[in-house]
Amino acid sequence: MPLGWAIAAAVIGAVLGAWVLYGLGYWVGRDRIRRWMQKIPLMEASDLDKAEGWFERHGGAAVLIGRCVPVVRSLISIPAGVERMPFWKFTLFTLLGSAVWNGGLVLAGYLLGAQWEDVGRYSDWLNYAVYVAIVVVVGKFVWDRTGARGERRRHAGEGAV
């Protein structure tokens, strides 16, 4: 397959997949997500408000840069749909970010020729680093929430005695 076709196929696949997740976020909507969040342990409605504010400030950049970050490159489509980011803008940022990321990976594989597996080995390290960062962030979040919740329970218990 010619290099240009390989890059085009990778980018088209990424955009089509992003459209599906954008549509899911659009369809689910803010109100339903807010109701779901109120039922999830350790989550509060204010968390959604903060996330919405952050996305309003960084939406385009988040979509563009997010396309080059493992895990985020898929998930960023959902808040874009929830926040009703203009579809043309979402598509443009997705197209540009996916072209950079996928084009870079396909080109690296092309240039490496028979040593193409090296691309996967190095990108795996990037994936592992992102996974570790996610575990650390989630761990800190749980620690902070359960620590604060435990403190509130202790104070509530003191008043009842």
Side-chain angles (χ1 to χ4, degrees):
M1 175 183 290
L3 178 63
W5 283 110
I7 292 171
V11 172
I12 289 168
V15 170
L16 291 175
W19 282 351
V20 169
L21 292 173
Y22 175 94
L24 178 67
Y26 192 94
W27 175 74
V28 168
R30 176 181 295 116
D31 294 337
R32 194 174 305 165
I33 287 180
R34 183 175 293 284
R35 285 193 305 270
W36 290 348
M37 284 187 69
Q38 291 171 342
K39 296 177 184 178
I40 298 173
L42 306 177
M43 299 301 289
E44 299 172 4
S46 63
D47 296 330
L48 182 59
D49 297 335
K50 291 175 194 170
E52 288 175 341
W54 184 87
F55 197 85
E56 285 176 10
R57 289 189 306 278
H58 306 290
V63 171
L64 181 66
I65 294 168
R67 295 291 165 210
C68 299
V69 179
V71 180
V72 174
R73 71 174 147 254
S74 296
L75 297 179
I76 195 65
S77 302
I78 296 171
V82 169
E83 292 299 317
R84 307 294 202 256
M85 174 182 251
F87 189 71
W88 70 268
K89 188 176 182 181
F90 170 77
T91 300
L92 177 65
F93 286 132
T94 297
L95 185 68
L96 293 173
S98 296
V100 168
W101 181 257
N102 294 332
L105 287 178
V106 171
L107 183 61
Y110 176 81
L111 294 174
L112 286 171
Q115 298 171 336
W116 65 270
E117 292 176 348
D118 291 344
V119 173
R121 185 173 21 158
Y122 293 119
S123 70
D124 285 347
W125 283 105
L126 179 59
N127 289 340
Y128 297 144
V130 170
Y131 298 149
V132 167
I134 289 170
V135 167
V136 168
V137 168
V138 169
K140 182 181 178 338
F141 172 80
V142 170
W143 179 266
D144 290 347
R145 288 289 166 100
T146 57
R149 186 177 280 178
E151 190 67 30
R152 285 194 299 265
R153 285 184 186 151
R154 281 191 290 280
H155 287 298
E158 291 170 0
V161 175

